[in-house]
Every structure is written in C-alpha cells, then in structure tokens.
Amino acid sequence: MTYEAIEVRTEAGKVGIVTLNRPQALNALNDQLMDELGAALKAFDADPAIGCMIVTGSAKAFAAGADISAMAKFTFKDSYGSDFITRNWETIRTIRKPVIAAVSGFALGGGCELAMMCDFIIAADNAKFGQPEIKIGIIPGAGGTQRLPRAVGKSKAMDMALTARMMDATEAERSGLVSRVVALDKLMEESLAVALTIADMPRLAVLAAKESVNRAFESGLSDGVMFERRLFHSMFATHDQKEGMDAFLGKRKPAFKNE
Ligand code: HXC
C-alpha cells in the first residue's frame, strides 16, 4: 500500500515506525490519515519480525486534533448517522503488539486522544497536551473524557476539558499521562531504544502483559486479577519461560524463540 498522509519505515528490522505527515495542517487527523495509520499498524502487527511500533509526528505537532475543516459543515446526521470516527479510529485498539506514542509539540483534541490510545507516551520536552474541543463547540469524541481522567485524575481532566488549557511535558509526566520526558532532539533515539528493548522481550509475554494491563481499564479488580492470573499461568506453556528462567539460573543470556 502507498501512503500519503503518513510515512512508514522499520528500524533494525524489528520496530515499525509510523510518522504522521500532514505538516500543512499540523498533522490534523482526517479519514485518509486514520485509514492509513490503521492499515500500517495492522501490517506491522501481522509481520512476525516486528516486535514493537512507534507512532510519532513532527517537532511542532504530534497532531493538532481532528481536521476541523472536514468537520465544520457536519450535521448531526453526518456525524451520528455515519458513526463518525468509530470506523477508522478504533483500529488501533485491535493492535496486539505494543504501540508507543512519541510525542513532540502539540497533541491536542483527537491528537491527545490518539496518543492516549497508544500503550504509553514518551514526550519531548516541548510537548503540549490538551482537549480544547470546548472552544469550538464540541467535546472530545475519541475517548478523551474517559482516558484522560484515568490517566491524570478527575480534577485535571475536568480542568483541561472545561477550560481548554494545555498541559506541558513536565506536568504531564508528574500527572502520569506520559511515562518519560526526553529532550526534543533525543525523542526518536530514546523512543527507539525503548521499542527495541520491548521488541527483544519474549513476544508471547509481551502480548500477555499488554493485554493484561489494558484489562485494568475494562474490569473491576477481582476480574482483572483473575484475568492476569490465567494469562500468568499460560506463560508456563511457553518455550521462552523455560529458556528465560533457565538462562537466569545459568547466568547466561536467554535465546528467546517467541514461542
Ligand atoms: C485543521 C488545523 C488544525 C485542525 C491546525 N490546523 N490545527 N487544520 N484541523 N485541528 C491548521 C491551521 O488552520 C493552519 O492552516 C495550520 O494548521 C497551522 O496552524 P496555525 O493555527 O497557524 O498554527 P499556530 O498559530 O502555531 O497554532 C497552533 C495551534 C492551533 C495552537 C495547534 O493551530 C490550534 O489551536 N489548532 C486547533 C486545535 C484544536 O482545536 N484541536 C481540536 C480539534 S477537534 P493554514 O492553512 O491557515 O496555514 C478534535 C475532536 C476530536 O480534535 C474528536 C474525535 C475525532
């Protein structure tokens, strides 16, 4: 598939990188971009060589939101009738391998929501997160009112959704929205190092860890702990558990087979 709104490449044969690429609109997210992003992530997910993915933007903008020019004339019928965004924004939730958001610059509205749909966020020191939809007469529509309070708590989420104020990288890290903050010129280097670390982990355990952490958002504690317990038990059916523990005890490097 040829892509126009994104650029796609691999690093070291095992990390898939998608760069959002609509610089003229600060990577505003339209149907074409979301279709392409979904297709690229699905292709990486299906490629056995790839162990982790990164979604990133430009230094100025990860993404400044859903494309306002595409929505400006929407009627209720256009949005509700076509179930606007469900079709191509949900693809990322079906990806089983880890997806890191490497965010620099603006991550606003749908851009912040897209970053939060990824498994975790690494931010450059110039990153700015926000849900400014209220300023244009709408509210977040891709999970922002649900994922932001889970990430930063009710007070900050309300503050951001109601006043449209942006959160800088320092506050985002302090609040738990991002896992790490790095210098802008080191963003890709550091994100790639993290992705390579994950890509070299035993694959079945990576899939199970991601699935189990995500379960924390979908279930109560008892159900979540039981879900984790069953996946934990199933790890003992894998080659890589035997290899990992044997290598640890033998003080040698493990040779994982992803099986
Ligand atoms: C369409 C956008 C855009 C957007 C920026 N642009 N954001 N186009 N949709 N979301 C365009 C501008 O129109 C402009 O085009 C060019 O990108 C550069 O933007 P400027 O505004 O000139 O840049 P700057 O002055 O640096 O300001 C940056 C900014 C501002 C603070 C990020 O662009 C801004 O406030 N953007 C909108 C942010 C927003 O409201 N996002 C939420 C959208 S609603 P021209 O042609 O003039 O150069 C949303 C709902 C999600 O996301 C719901 C689920 C889908």
Side-chain angles (χ1 to χ4, degrees), residues 24-26 28 60 64-69 71 84-85 89 106 108-111 113 132-133 136 138-142 166:
Q24 71 286 2
L26 301 185
K60 178 160 185 195
D67 193 325
I68 298 169
S69 62
M71 293 184 290
F84 174 54
I85 84 151
W89 283 67
F106 296 109
L108 302 179
E113 294 174 301
E133 287 91 340
I136 53 171
I138 57 171
I139 69 169
M166 293 183 213

Side-chain angles (χ1 to χ4, degrees), residues 173-242:
E173 187 183 28
R174 192 170 71 230
S175 313
L177 179 59
V178 312
S179 70
R180 316 176 184 207
V181 179
V182 301
L184 174 59
D185 63 355
K186 292 275 185 294
L187 178 66
M188 279 321 285
E189 189 181 320
E190 301 265 354
S191 301
L192 187 57
V194 175
L196 284 168
T197 300
I198 294 170
D200 285 337
M201 294 296 179
R203 179 79 47 82
L204 295 172
V206 166
L207 298 181
K210 167 170 170 166
E211 196 177 6
S212 198
V213 173
N214 276 333
R215 198 68 173 210
F217 297 99
E218 309 284 353
S219 61
L221 183 61
S222 298
D223 285 347
V225 168
M226 185 50 71
F227 182 85
E228 176 198 79
R229 191 70 34 83
R230 295 300 176 232
L231 279 179
F232 168 75
H233 291 155
S234 70
M235 293 297 104
F236 291 90
T238 66
H239 163 276
D240 289 346
Q241 173 271 324
K242 301 283 173 301

Side-chain angles (χ1 to χ4, degrees), residues 10-55:
T10 58
E11 281 283 346
K14 46 190 165 184
V15 174
I17 302 177
V18 178
T19 305
L20 310 181
N21 187 32
R22 296 189 70 217
Q24 71 286 2
L26 301 185
N27 291 334
L29 305 165
N30 61 9
D31 257 346
Q32 180 189 14
L33 187 150
M34 294 311 293
D35 281 342
E36 292 184 5
L37 175 63
L41 294 177
K42 277 171 85 163
F44 283 140
D45 212 30
D47 180 346
I50 298 294
C52 191
M53 297 162 227
I54 298 173
V55 177

